[in-house]
Amino acid sequence: MKLSLGIVGLPNVGKSTLFNHLTNKDINVANYPFCTIDPNVGIVSVPDERLLKLAKQEESEQQIPAIIEFYDIAGLVKGANKGEGLGNKFLAQIRATNAIVMVLRCFADDNIIHVEEGVDPIRDMEIINTELIMKDLETVEKRLGSVEKELRGNNKEALKEKEALEKAKEKLLAGQLITELADDPSIYNMQLLTAKKQIYLLNGEEGDVSEDLKKKIADMGFDYVIVDLKEKPDLKDLINKAFEVLDLISFFTTGKEETRSWTIKKGSLAPQAGGAIHGDFEDKFIKAEIINTEKLLEAGSWQVAKSKGWLKLEGKEYEVKDGDVIVFRHG
């Protein structure tokens, strides 16, 4: 499955610096608001030592990792939902992403301007979430108007959608995010900003991050990573956190031509995993030959693993595990 994350935050908090570290692309970073005027999209490989070991063992010609698309969005400011700054255009671009990485500036530096004239990450978080809430409220109210017209024909689906939208509107009016409504089809299909999972990247050192901020994030049901973007940070924690937050796992296919990592939802059954490779693998699924990566590496080769009886032949009800190496049999 495609995995994409939108990087959001106020101007001058480290968004574009994060993007540069992730992608090693030299995009425009400047010490003033609205520097990034177009979304920068970077494709980042997901680091996974298992992929490297499998490729080496099989002497694969290629190794193809899972990827994440990162969208670097222009800095938001108060009133973005009404078009302030670069507002509406950039809020709309977040809709296409699976989750949001919110960058909060926790470090103090008089040489770097703060658009709100002072470092206060809790205030910054509330500003950004308010903008997301107001933009979603506008979208929900507009859709409610359309659904009201559809109800005239006693449309049961429209009634269900109306109920979901009214529930979302109530929470948004109360200044709340709606992540717990994300699985409702009506909400999911609208790609609402406040229904997306959030990961907080706290830009600074451990000592810059207050316990109040950590508690605030935890109370919202989200998680965070602390990264000093002024250094050359190891961003594996952020990528791993994205997999964790979105309930994703990896499985592998391996052979002489290529060893490849595939991303699926945790809990996916074998046919669904096959569908990540090709639709026919799901539609015409027969069986899957499966072994865990560690067992395959221990065996030294697929043939040895087979001779030892370590390969399992699984059917349609098998739930794929993280690290499974799979050969699909299909019609």
Side-chain angles (χ1 to χ4, degrees):
M1 64 175 286
K2 178 182 174 182
L3 174 59
S4 58
L5 301 175
I7 304 171
V8 302
L10 297 180
N12 297 339
V13 298
K15 299 183 317 305
S16 295
T17 304
L18 169 62
F19 185 88
N20 284 350
H21 284 311
L22 284 164
T23 63
N24 295 316
K25 286 188 178 182
D26 184 19
I27 62 171
N28 190 19
V29 181
N31 185 25
Y32 55 89
F34 318 130
C35 165
T36 312
I37 59 172
D38 288 307
N40 293 278
V41 184
I43 296 177
V44 180
S45 298
V46 176
D48 195 325
E49 290 185 2
R50 298 172 299 182
L51 178 76
L52 307 180
K53 290 176 180 178
L54 285 170
K56 183 178 180 181
Q57 178 170 283
E58 291 295 318
E59 298 181 345
S60 303
E61 294 174 15
Q62 295 186 80
Q63 46 184 276
I64 304 176
I67 62 168
I68 300 178
E69 289 182 356
F70 280 90
Y71 287 71
D72 180 33
I73 309 298
L76 298 176
V77 293
K78 280 182 183 176
N81 69 90
K82 298 175 183 176
E84 291 293 329
L86 295 168
N88 284 323
K89 176 181 176 183
F90 292 97
L91 284 171
Q93 286 160 349
I94 308 169
R95 293 200 188 283
T97 62
N98 301 106
I100 290 172
V101 177
M102 190 182 296
V103 182
L104 297 178
R105 175 177 165 181
C106 298
F107 68 90
D109 188 335
D110 293 339
N111 295 316
I112 300 178
I113 299 165
H114 193 293
V115 71
E116 288 295 324
E117 300 181 358
V119 176
D120 185 342
I122 292 179
R123 174 206 58 209
D124 296 352
M125 174 203 302
E126 291 171 350
I127 288 173
I128 296 165
N129 278 326
T130 296
E131 295 307 317
L132 302 184
I133 286 167
M134 296 305 293
K135 188 62 179 176
D136 275 355
L137 188 57
E138 175 189 316
T139 304
V140 167
E141 288 177 334
K142 185 177 179 180
R143 180 57 192 158
L144 269 170
S146 301
V147 171
E148 291 285 355
K149 296 175 184 176
E150 295 172 19
L151 282 172
R152 293 169 189 168
N154 196 27
N155 186 325
K156 291 182 179 179
E157 289 303 313
L159 181 59
K160 281 184 183 177
E161 184 176 358
K162 181 174 183 288
E163 290 171 352
L165 290 171
E166 285 179 339
K167 191 181 294 184
K169 180 179 177 180
E170 182 182 350
K171 294 186 77 66
L172 293 168
L173 283 171
Q176 298 173 8
L177 305 180
I178 57 170
T179 44
E180 72 270 28
L181 303 179
D183 291 333
D184 186 292
S186 300
I187 303 301
Y188 178 83
N189 292 334
M190 291 179 71
Q191 295 186 312
L192 294 172
L193 305 171
T194 56
K196 297 182 185 296
K197 297 283 183 69
Q198 296 182 357
I199 305 167
Y200 285 84
L201 188 144
L202 310 181
N203 185 8
E205 298 177 0
E206 182 73 39
D208 297 324
V209 180
S210 71
E211 292 303 315
D212 286 345
L213 176 58
K214 293 177 183 178
K215 184 177 186 303
K216 177 79 172 176
I217 294 170
D219 288 347
M220 294 169 67
F222 298 131
D223 215 333
Y224 64 87
V225 293
I226 301 173
V227 178
D228 185 353
L229 293 173
K230 295 194 298 293
E231 307 297 323
K232 290 188 176 179
D234 183 351
L235 293 167
K236 285 182 183 177
D237 285 349
L238 176 60
I239 293 171
N240 290 337
K241 188 65 68 178
F243 266 65
E244 179 186 324
V245 163
L246 293 170
D247 287 329
L248 301 176
I249 61 171
S250 297
F251 75 91
F252 303 94
T253 54
T254 188
K256 293 297 180 187
E257 288 187 11
E258 70 173 37
T259 294
R260 185 164 184 161
S261 177
W262 303 89
T263 304
I264 56 172
K265 277 278 189 183
K266 188 183 295 182
S268 295
L269 301 181
Q272 295 171 309
I277 300 173
H278 194 284
D280 282 352
F281 285 24
E282 181 171 6
D283 299 338
K284 301 176 181 179
F285 178 90
I286 298 174
K287 292 285 183 180
E289 208 167 8
I290 298 173
I291 184 172
N292 180 269
T293 298
E294 296 305 319
K295 292 298 284 184
L296 180 55
L297 292 172
E298 182 185 338
S301 73
W302 191 268
Q303 291 73 21
V304 172
K306 190 168 188 175
S307 70
K308 289 177 174 288
W310 290 357
L311 301 181
K312 295 179 181 178
L313 198 60
E314 300 286 359
K316 292 182 178 180
E317 298 306 311
Y318 176 75
E319 183 178 311
V320 176
K321 308 295 189 298
D322 185 55
D324 278 350
V325 183
I326 307 179
V327 172
F328 293 94
R329 297 183 185 177
H330 59 94

